[in-house]
Amino acid sequence: MKSDTVYKRTYNQMLDLIQDHAVGAPLPSETVLASEMGASRTTIRKVLNELCGAALLRFEDRSRIVLSHDCRDLYHPTVETVSASDRLEKLFMEWMLRGDAKPGTAINEAEMARRFDISTTGIREFLNRFSRFGLVERRPGSGWVFKGFSENFASELFEIREMFELRSAIAFCRQPRDAPCWNKLRQIEQEHHALLADIETRFHDFSDLDDRFHRLVIHGAPNRFIEDFYDIITFVFHYHYQWNKKSEKQRNRTAIVEHLRYIEALLSGDEAAVDAACRAHLKSARLTLFQSMINETPAGGMQGNGASVATPN
């Protein structure tokens, strides 16, 4: 159920937050927590009461005080914190990547429903959502067809990405210094350093880290339309680059270094530095996007005048 998913996700987020606060420190108010975690105050209160019962928090003058950081074994499995639509998106991307999906590939609703263990209604809603952007098309009498990507589509989408992320980066920079996003950013910074140190064997792990970093920045300026549209950006710029494995390790190494400069600028609070770092990273991403055009077409490759485009991050 959606409500159960939201509860479990909020529960895990609260465990993260507890570990970010010193023992004896109070957590933010229910109103602030609801805003930061994207949950209702009812859900927030339910989670807080549960954690008080687990002796991780205690009530004191309407505040919840951190009692312990011993919560490692209390997390709900990640798969239980992801909505059906998010899970379907991930499964669909993996199907395209591993199933040799090329432009013109037929998509059968019933077959996908069985494969992903999701209702045909959920499959249809997902496909309808992406059909608005021309990525899939419903053909009367023959079901759905995956249309692939054009160069113009990628170029137009990138322009929107630049506008959204530049706005969000500055808004992130203006967050109060005690806002939870800063601890999350420092954690992601540490993960970047760890991955860079082990890039030879772990370069495939970058895609997940890349997605989490950019989503964190996007949340700097909460906007339901931007966040919804970012799913389409993810569809192309996060997953599609994997279809071209050429120089993947070096591309990921370069992107990690750029992310670290970007993160350093955000942490500095210098809006001019943030703007410059964000523009530099996005400029590099755009350049790599169009330099990656090759004549051969990898599985699911972007089509445009016979070319294939692999995208960076």
Side-chain angles (χ1 to χ4, degrees), residues 73-94:
D73 298 328
L74 298 179
Y75 282 87
H76 292 286
T78 301
V79 67
E80 297 179 8
T81 68
V82 179
S83 68
S85 60
D86 288 342
R87 185 164 66 89
L88 174 56
E89 179 179 324
K90 182 175 179 62
L91 291 170
F92 186 75
M93 304 306 174
E94 291 177 349

Side-chain angles (χ1 to χ4, degrees), residues 10 21 35 52 106 119 154 176 197 210 212 255 291 304:
T10 305
H21 285 67
S35 176
C52 285
S119 70
D210 174 73
R212 288 190 289 117
Q291 284 182 339

Side-chain angles (χ1 to χ4, degrees), residues 99-120:
D100 196 33
K102 298 179 175 67
T105 297
I107 301 174
N108 183 285
E109 289 180 7
E111 180 182 342
M112 288 188 70
R114 287 193 297 272
R115 180 193 296 260
F116 301 148
D117 192 25
I118 292 175
S119 70
T120 53

